[in-house]
Amino acid sequence: MIEQLPWREAVASKFSVETDAVKTISLDVRDWPGHRAGQHVDVRLTADDGYVAQRSYSLGTRAGTAQSIDLTVERVPDGEVSPFLHDVLQVGEAIEVRGPIGGYFTWEPNAERPLMLVAGGSGIVPLMSMLRTWAAAPVRPQAALLYSSRSQGHIIYRGELDELRDRNDAFRLSHSLTRGTPPDWRGETGRIGRATLERHGFAPLENPAIYVCGPTPFVEAISEALLGIGHQEQAVRTERFGPSGGGA
Amino acid sequence: MTEDFVPLDGNAAAGTLRRIFAFDATAASVVCRTCSSSGPLAELSFFGRPGALVLRCRSCEAVNVRALETDTHLNLDLSGISLLKVGSPAGEAQ
Protein backbone atom coordinates (compact mmCIF):
# COMPACT_ATOMS: atom_id res chain seq x y z
CA MET A 1 0.00 0.00 0.00
CA ILE A 2 1.37 3.41 -0.92
CA GLU A 3 1.74 5.27 2.35
CA GLN A 4 0.43 8.77 1.82
CA LEU A 5 0.37 9.59 5.49
CA PRO A 6 3.24 7.92 7.36
CA TRP A 7 3.68 7.72 11.11
CA ARG A 8 6.58 9.91 12.17
CA GLU A 9 8.60 10.14 15.35
CA ALA A 10 7.81 13.25 17.38
CA VAL A 11 10.20 14.14 20.19
CA ALA A 12 8.89 16.15 23.12
CA SER A 13 10.92 19.34 23.51
CA LYS A 14 8.91 21.45 25.93
CA PHE A 15 5.86 21.39 28.20
CA SER A 16 3.92 24.55 29.05
CA VAL A 17 1.08 24.79 31.54
CA GLU A 18 -1.95 26.60 30.12
CA THR A 19 -4.50 25.95 32.90
CA ASP A 20 -4.90 23.45 35.76
CA ALA A 21 -5.90 20.66 33.39
CA VAL A 22 -4.37 21.80 30.11
CA LYS A 23 -0.79 21.61 28.88
CA THR A 24 0.88 22.47 25.61
CA ILE A 25 3.35 19.85 24.43
CA SER A 26 5.91 21.00 21.88
CA LEU A 27 7.18 18.27 19.58
CA ASP A 28 10.09 18.21 17.14
CA VAL A 29 9.13 16.26 14.04
CA ARG A 30 11.87 15.70 11.50
CA ASP A 31 10.61 16.12 7.92
CA TRP A 32 7.36 17.68 9.09
CA PRO A 33 5.67 18.48 5.76
CA GLY A 34 4.01 21.62 7.08
CA HIS A 35 0.36 22.19 7.87
CA ARG A 36 -2.58 24.57 7.43
CA ALA A 37 -4.44 26.32 10.22
CA GLY A 38 -7.04 24.07 11.83
CA GLN A 39 -5.51 20.74 10.89
CA HIS A 40 -4.79 18.01 13.40
CA VAL A 41 -2.59 14.98 13.94
CA ASP A 42 -3.29 11.41 14.98
CA VAL A 43 -1.15 10.38 17.97
CA ARG A 44 -0.26 6.73 18.57
CA LEU A 45 1.15 5.20 21.74
CA THR A 46 2.30 1.58 21.84
CA ALA A 47 2.72 -0.07 25.23
CA ASP A 48 5.38 -2.72 25.92
CA ASP A 49 2.72 -5.43 25.65
CA GLY A 50 1.76 -4.20 22.19
CA TYR A 51 -1.41 -2.39 23.23
CA VAL A 52 -2.05 0.56 20.94
CA ALA A 53 -3.90 3.72 21.90
CA GLN A 54 -4.67 6.26 19.24
CA ARG A 55 -6.25 9.71 19.47
CA SER A 56 -6.54 12.85 17.35
CA TYR A 57 -5.33 16.23 18.61
CA SER A 58 -5.57 19.60 16.95
CA LEU A 59 -2.41 21.52 16.15
CA GLY A 60 -2.18 24.82 17.97
CA THR A 61 0.78 26.01 15.93
CA ARG A 62 0.18 28.54 13.19
CA ALA A 63 0.26 27.33 9.59
CA GLY A 64 3.72 26.74 8.19
CA THR A 65 6.58 24.34 7.75
CA ALA A 66 8.42 24.76 11.06
CA GLN A 67 9.63 21.38 12.34
CA SER A 68 8.23 22.07 15.79
CA ILE A 69 4.51 21.56 16.38
CA ASP A 70 2.39 22.22 19.47
CA LEU A 71 -0.44 20.08 20.79
CA THR A 72 -2.55 21.65 23.54
CA VAL A 73 -4.08 18.77 25.45
CA GLU A 74 -6.67 18.65 28.20
CA ARG A 75 -5.92 15.99 30.80
CA VAL A 76 -8.93 13.75 31.28
CA PRO A 77 -8.64 11.64 34.47
CA ASP A 78 -9.78 8.34 32.91
CA GLY A 79 -8.18 8.95 29.55
CA GLU A 80 -5.91 6.51 27.79
CA VAL A 81 -3.65 9.04 26.14
CA SER A 82 -3.93 12.43 27.84
CA PRO A 83 -2.68 11.27 31.28
CA PHE A 84 0.34 9.75 29.55
CA LEU A 85 1.08 12.97 27.68
CA HIS A 86 0.70 15.02 30.84
CA ASP A 87 2.27 12.83 33.52
CA VAL A 88 4.63 10.35 31.90
CA LEU A 89 6.11 11.73 28.67
CA GLN A 90 9.44 13.47 29.28
CA VAL A 91 11.44 15.96 27.25
CA GLY A 92 13.54 13.97 24.82
CA GLU A 93 11.11 11.06 24.59
CA ALA A 94 9.21 10.26 21.42
CA ILE A 95 5.63 9.48 20.43
CA GLU A 96 4.29 8.69 16.98
CA VAL A 97 2.25 11.22 15.05
CA ARG A 98 0.57 11.10 11.67
CA GLY A 99 -0.37 14.25 9.82
CA PRO A 100 -1.23 16.88 9.04
CA ILE A 101 -4.80 15.77 8.64
CA GLY A 102 -7.94 17.60 7.68
CA GLY A 103 -9.13 19.58 4.70
CA TYR A 104 -12.51 20.63 5.96
CA PHE A 105 -11.86 22.54 9.14
CA THR A 106 -9.02 24.71 7.82
CA TRP A 107 -8.54 28.41 7.09
CA GLU A 108 -6.24 29.99 4.51
CA PRO A 109 -5.26 33.64 4.96
CA ASN A 110 -7.27 35.93 2.74
CA ALA A 111 -8.76 39.38 3.00
CA GLU A 112 -12.07 38.56 1.34
CA ARG A 113 -14.15 37.33 4.26
CA PRO A 114 -14.08 38.33 7.94
CA LEU A 115 -12.93 35.48 10.15
CA MET A 116 -15.38 34.56 12.91
CA LEU A 117 -14.30 32.00 15.48
CA VAL A 118 -16.54 30.53 18.19
CA ALA A 119 -14.81 28.31 20.76
CA GLY A 120 -16.03 26.25 23.71
CA GLY A 121 -13.40 25.03 26.17
CA SER A 122 -10.64 22.98 24.49
CA GLY A 123 -12.23 23.80 21.16
CA ILE A 124 -10.04 26.90 21.20
CA VAL A 125 -7.01 24.92 20.03
CA PRO A 126 -7.61 24.68 16.25
CA LEU A 127 -9.10 28.18 16.32
CA MET A 128 -5.91 29.44 17.98
CA SER A 129 -3.96 27.96 15.11
CA MET A 130 -6.16 30.02 12.80
CA LEU A 131 -5.74 33.15 14.90
CA ARG A 132 -1.96 32.77 15.10
CA THR A 133 -1.90 32.27 11.34
CA TRP A 134 -4.08 35.36 10.97
CA ALA A 135 -1.73 37.43 13.14
CA ALA A 136 1.26 36.50 10.96
CA ALA A 137 -0.49 36.83 7.61
CA PRO A 138 0.59 39.65 5.30
CA VAL A 139 -2.94 39.92 3.97
CA ARG A 140 -5.87 39.39 6.31
CA PRO A 141 -9.48 40.30 7.06
CA GLN A 142 -11.16 41.49 10.28
CA ALA A 143 -11.32 38.73 12.89
CA ALA A 144 -13.46 38.01 15.93
CA LEU A 145 -13.22 35.31 18.59
CA LEU A 146 -16.09 34.43 20.89
CA TYR A 147 -14.73 32.07 23.55
CA SER A 148 -16.80 30.26 26.16
CA SER A 149 -15.05 28.91 29.26
CA ARG A 150 -16.23 27.68 32.64
CA SER A 151 -14.30 30.30 34.61
CA GLN A 152 -11.43 32.73 34.11
CA GLY A 153 -9.02 30.05 35.33
CA HIS A 154 -10.20 27.77 32.53
CA ILE A 155 -9.31 30.20 29.74
CA ILE A 156 -6.55 28.69 27.60
CA TYR A 157 -4.03 31.10 25.98
CA ARG A 158 -5.50 33.90 28.05
CA GLY A 159 -2.44 36.17 28.05
CA GLU A 160 -1.75 35.67 24.37
CA LEU A 161 -5.35 36.48 23.44
CA ASP A 162 -5.27 39.70 25.48
CA GLU A 163 -2.06 40.69 23.76
CA LEU A 164 -3.48 39.96 20.31
CA ARG A 165 -6.45 42.16 21.11
CA ASP A 166 -4.29 44.96 22.47
CA ARG A 167 -2.03 44.97 19.42
CA ASN A 168 -4.61 44.53 16.68
CA ASP A 169 -7.52 46.87 16.01
CA ALA A 170 -8.75 44.36 13.46
CA PHE A 171 -9.26 41.68 16.14
CA ARG A 172 -12.30 41.56 18.45
CA LEU A 173 -12.21 39.30 21.53
CA SER A 174 -15.20 38.34 23.64
CA HIS A 175 -15.07 35.96 26.61
CA SER A 176 -18.14 34.27 28.07
CA LEU A 177 -17.87 32.57 31.45
CA THR A 178 -20.51 29.98 32.23
CA ARG A 179 -19.84 29.01 35.85
CA GLY A 180 -17.92 31.56 37.90
CA THR A 181 -17.10 35.19 37.25
CA PRO A 182 -14.57 37.30 39.15
CA PRO A 183 -15.95 40.43 40.86
CA ASP A 184 -14.59 42.88 38.27
CA TRP A 185 -15.72 40.81 35.27
CA ARG A 186 -16.76 42.92 32.27
CA GLY A 187 -17.18 40.14 29.73
CA GLU A 188 -20.26 38.05 28.99
CA THR A 189 -21.74 35.53 31.41
CA GLY A 190 -23.70 32.39 30.69
CA ARG A 191 -23.86 30.44 27.47
CA ILE A 192 -23.20 32.08 24.12
CA GLY A 193 -26.54 32.64 22.41
CA ARG A 194 -27.94 34.67 19.55
CA ALA A 195 -27.53 37.99 21.36
CA THR A 196 -23.84 37.40 22.10
CA LEU A 197 -23.19 36.21 18.55
CA GLU A 198 -24.85 39.33 17.15
CA ARG A 199 -23.13 41.65 19.56
CA HIS A 200 -19.60 40.35 19.10
CA GLY A 201 -19.57 38.50 15.80
CA PHE A 202 -20.03 39.56 12.20
CA ALA A 203 -23.42 40.02 10.58
CA PRO A 204 -24.57 37.70 7.77
CA LEU A 205 -24.27 40.58 5.29
CA GLU A 206 -20.56 40.81 6.07
CA ASN A 207 -20.20 37.28 4.69
CA PRO A 208 -17.93 35.90 7.40
CA ALA A 209 -16.19 32.53 7.29
CA ILE A 210 -17.33 30.98 10.57
CA TYR A 211 -15.56 28.21 12.48
CA VAL A 212 -17.12 26.64 15.57
CA CYS A 213 -15.26 24.16 17.77
CA GLY A 214 -16.00 22.65 21.17
CA PRO A 215 -18.07 19.93 22.84
CA THR A 216 -20.85 18.52 20.70
CA PRO A 217 -23.77 20.17 22.57
CA PHE A 218 -21.96 23.51 22.33
CA VAL A 219 -21.34 23.15 18.60
CA GLU A 220 -24.94 22.13 17.94
CA ALA A 221 -26.34 25.05 19.98
CA ILE A 222 -24.06 27.60 18.35
CA SER A 223 -24.77 26.27 14.85
CA GLU A 224 -28.48 26.56 15.47
CA ALA A 225 -28.11 30.08 16.86
CA LEU A 226 -26.02 31.13 13.86
CA LEU A 227 -28.65 29.87 11.43
CA GLY A 228 -31.26 31.58 13.58
CA ILE A 229 -29.65 34.98 13.12
CA GLY A 230 -29.42 34.50 9.38
CA HIS A 231 -26.03 32.96 8.63
CA GLN A 232 -25.90 30.46 5.78
CA GLU A 233 -25.18 26.82 6.54
CA GLN A 234 -22.31 26.81 4.02
CA ALA A 235 -20.65 29.69 5.87
CA VAL A 236 -20.28 27.62 9.05
CA ARG A 237 -17.69 24.88 9.57
CA THR A 238 -17.70 22.79 12.71
CA GLU A 239 -15.47 20.47 14.68
CA ARG A 240 -16.82 18.60 17.69
CA PHE A 241 -14.70 17.52 20.67
CA GLY A 242 -15.78 15.26 23.48
CA PRO A 243 -15.11 12.16 25.53
CA SER A 244 -13.94 9.36 23.25
CA GLY A 245 -15.84 6.72 25.18
CA GLY A 246 -19.05 7.32 23.30
CA GLY A 247 -20.20 9.02 20.15
CA ALA A 248 -21.39 12.57 19.52
CA MET B 1 -14.65 2.85 28.62
CA THR B 2 -11.80 5.26 28.93
CA GLU B 3 -12.32 8.85 27.94
CA ASP B 4 -10.21 11.49 26.30
CA PHE B 5 -11.34 14.88 25.12
CA VAL B 6 -10.90 14.42 21.40
CA PRO B 7 -12.50 15.33 18.05
CA LEU B 8 -15.85 13.57 17.73
CA ASP B 9 -17.10 14.01 14.25
CA GLY B 10 -16.02 13.03 10.76
CA ASN B 11 -12.95 15.26 11.10
CA ALA B 12 -11.43 12.50 13.24
CA ALA B 13 -11.72 10.05 10.33
CA ALA B 14 -9.56 12.20 8.08
CA GLY B 15 -6.32 10.40 8.90
CA THR B 16 -7.71 6.95 8.21
CA LEU B 17 -9.47 8.01 5.01
CA ARG B 18 -6.41 9.87 3.77
CA ARG B 19 -4.70 6.49 3.41
CA ILE B 20 -7.04 5.41 0.66
CA PHE B 21 -8.29 8.60 -0.97
CA ALA B 22 -5.99 10.80 -3.00
CA PHE B 23 -7.58 13.84 -1.37
CA ASP B 24 -9.06 14.77 1.99
CA ALA B 25 -12.46 13.08 2.07
CA THR B 26 -13.80 14.98 5.05
CA ALA B 27 -14.66 17.98 2.89
CA ALA B 28 -16.63 15.76 0.52
CA SER B 29 -20.40 15.68 0.72
CA VAL B 30 -22.12 12.36 1.45
CA VAL B 31 -25.70 11.27 0.88
CA CYS B 32 -27.08 8.87 3.49
CA ARG B 33 -28.45 5.72 1.86
CA THR B 34 -31.08 5.31 4.59
CA CYS B 35 -32.63 8.78 4.82
CA SER B 36 -31.06 10.65 1.86
CA SER B 37 -29.93 13.59 3.95
CA SER B 38 -26.74 15.16 2.66
CA GLY B 39 -23.88 17.09 4.21
CA PRO B 40 -20.10 17.19 4.69
CA LEU B 41 -18.52 13.92 5.77
CA ALA B 42 -16.72 15.97 8.44
CA GLU B 43 -20.02 16.55 10.23
CA LEU B 44 -21.06 12.91 10.63
CA SER B 45 -21.11 11.49 14.18
CA PHE B 46 -17.92 9.67 15.03
CA PHE B 47 -17.71 6.52 17.14
CA GLY B 48 -14.65 4.49 18.04
CA ARG B 49 -11.15 5.82 17.53
CA PRO B 50 -8.98 6.82 14.58
CA GLY B 51 -8.24 3.49 12.89
CA ALA B 52 -11.35 1.65 14.07
CA LEU B 53 -14.21 3.95 13.44
CA VAL B 54 -17.85 4.26 12.54
CA LEU B 55 -19.44 7.40 11.13
CA ARG B 56 -23.19 7.75 11.52
CA CYS B 57 -25.74 10.01 9.87
CA ARG B 58 -26.71 12.83 12.20
CA SER B 59 -30.32 12.75 11.05
CA CYS B 60 -31.20 9.06 11.21
CA GLU B 61 -28.14 7.55 12.96
CA ALA B 62 -27.65 4.91 10.27
CA VAL B 63 -24.06 3.78 9.81
CA ASN B 64 -22.57 5.64 6.84
CA VAL B 65 -18.88 4.71 6.97
CA ARG B 66 -16.91 1.97 8.70
CA ALA B 67 -13.14 1.78 8.61
CA LEU B 68 -10.64 -0.55 10.20
CA GLU B 69 -6.96 -0.05 9.63
CA THR B 70 -3.81 -1.88 10.63
CA ASP B 71 -0.21 -1.24 9.57
CA THR B 72 -0.73 -3.32 6.44
CA HIS B 73 -4.46 -3.27 5.76
CA LEU B 74 -7.36 -0.89 5.49
CA ASN B 75 -10.95 -2.17 5.32
CA LEU B 76 -13.41 0.49 4.27
CA ASP B 77 -17.19 0.06 4.12
CA LEU B 78 -18.99 2.92 2.42
CA SER B 79 -22.21 0.98 1.80
CA GLY B 80 -24.12 3.28 4.13
CA ILE B 81 -23.75 6.18 1.73
CA SER B 82 -25.36 6.28 -1.69
CA LEU B 83 -23.25 9.09 -3.08
CA LEU B 84 -19.95 10.77 -2.30
CA LYS B 85 -19.63 14.21 -3.90
CA VAL B 86 -16.21 15.75 -4.23
CA GLY B 87 -15.44 19.30 -5.28
CA SER B 88 -15.83 22.86 -4.07
CA PRO B 89 -19.31 23.43 -2.67
CA ALA B 90 -20.79 26.84 -3.41
CA GLY B 91 -19.94 29.47 -0.83
CA GLU B 92 -17.62 27.34 1.28
CA ALA B 93 -16.07 28.97 4.34
CA GLN B 94 -12.79 30.66 3.17
Side-chain angles (χ1 to χ4, degrees), chain A residues 61-146:
Chain A
T61 320
R62 68 173 196 227
T65 52
Q67 306 278 279
S68 173
I69 59 175
D70 283 352
L71 305 182
T72 298
V73 175
E74 177 170 341
R75 187 190 185 287
V76 177
D78 296 328
E80 275 194 325
V81 173
S82 63
F84 175 86
L85 296 176
H86 272 244
D87 308 334
V88 180
L89 183 66
Q90 301 287 310
V91 167
E93 288 179 359
I95 58 176
E96 288 184 292
V97 303
R98 165 170 80 176
I101 298 166
Y104 173 74
F105 200 74
T106 59
W107 178 74
E108 301 280 350
N110 71 92
E112 268 98 61
R113 303 178 66 183
L115 179 61
M116 181 168 163
L117 309 172
V118 189
S122 304
I124 185 66
V125 179
L127 303 186
M128 198 62 187
S129 168
M130 294 179 186
L131 208 44
R132 286 166 168 165
T133 302
W134 176 88
V139 163
R140 63 199 199 195
Q142 301 271 313
L145 168 65
L146 289 80

